[in-house]
Amino acid sequence: MASSREAGVAYPRLPLTEGSDDLVAFQQWLGEAIPMVGALGIMQMDRQGDTLTWQLSLKPSLNDKGTGFGGALTAQATLLGWCWVTLWLRAQGRAQDVVVAESSHRFHAPVTADYRMVCSPHDSQGPVMLADKLQQRGRGRITLDQKLYCGNTLCLEATGSYVVLPEA
């Protein structure tokens, strides 16, 4: 699908829904809002409690060695965290912008087959602390961990700090 997106023009937000978000609709919107998402190989999203999991195909992220390209994998980890915060905000009935403030990545093993990425708060109290900051100041920050598994092998660990901006 060719993107009609233009630099400097924000994409319309996905309208808030009552109750639980439809992850299929969210993934479709995500692919329209961020054109590179279509090339990331996301096959499925699942949300259980404070954990967001993606199942991904390796094929779109292959490097010259036939394993996962580090740049693609780190982009996926960063985006997974952004999605975690965006979906969490939506569950709170909030439509605020999210940006990544900083991130770090550590590779442990090559990615040699389709894989899964798991994202959860670095601190189990992170969501509560974020909710408090949003209530008090209208903005806040949360640190999330992303882990990439190829089978049972941990291949990548990432940590990202995500900022929720004040409502416009």
Side-chain angles (χ1 to χ4, degrees):
M1 175 176 122
S3 174
S4 59
R5 295 293 317 279
E6 293 184 35
V9 178
Y11 194 79
R13 283 194 175 105
L14 183 64
L16 291 173
T17 58
E18 292 291 325
S20 182
D21 258 328
D22 176 356
L23 292 179
V24 173
F26 178 78
Q27 187 175 346
Q28 180 179 350
W29 171 84
L30 187 65
E32 295 166 0
I34 303 173
M36 75 178 254
V37 167
L40 294 180
I42 304 167
M43 297 185 294
Q44 181 180 350
M45 287 188 190
D46 182 52
R47 192 164 161 210
Q48 300 289 324
D50 279 343
T51 301
L52 180 62
T53 303
W54 285 356
Q55 300 293 329
L56 297 112
S57 170
L58 174 59
K59 192 170 185 177
S61 299
L62 285 172
N63 65 16
D64 59 317
K65 295 159 209 59
T67 61
F69 173 60
L73 303 176
T74 59
Q76 291 165 349
T78 301
L79 182 61
L80 177 59
W82 182 91
C83 288
W84 188 100
V85 179
T86 300
L87 288 166
W88 182 87
L89 286 167
R90 291 177 60 75
Q92 311 304 308
R94 302 181 81 102
Q96 289 177 255
D97 287 328
V98 177
V99 296
V100 62
E102 57 185 290
S103 65
S104 63
H105 307 87
R106 181 179 171 114
F107 293 90
H108 298 285
V111 177
T112 58
D114 291 352
Y115 53 98
R116 74 184 184 285
M117 280 192 165
V118 180
C119 180
S120 56
H122 184 74
D123 179 337
S124 64
Q125 292 301 303
V128 172
M129 294 186 300
L130 177 58
D132 288 346
K133 288 289 185 192
L134 291 172
Q135 183 67 30
Q136 295 169 9
R137 303 166 88 191
R139 60 186 170 92
R141 180 185 291 239
I142 188 168
T143 300
L144 301 172
D145 293 329
Q146 299 89 20
K147 295 182 179 180
L148 183 159
Y149 296 93
C150 190
N152 292 324
T153 302
L154 176 63
C155 298
L156 167 68
E157 288 182 287
T159 299
S161 178
Y162 297 83
V163 175
V164 178
L165 301 175
E167 293 184 47

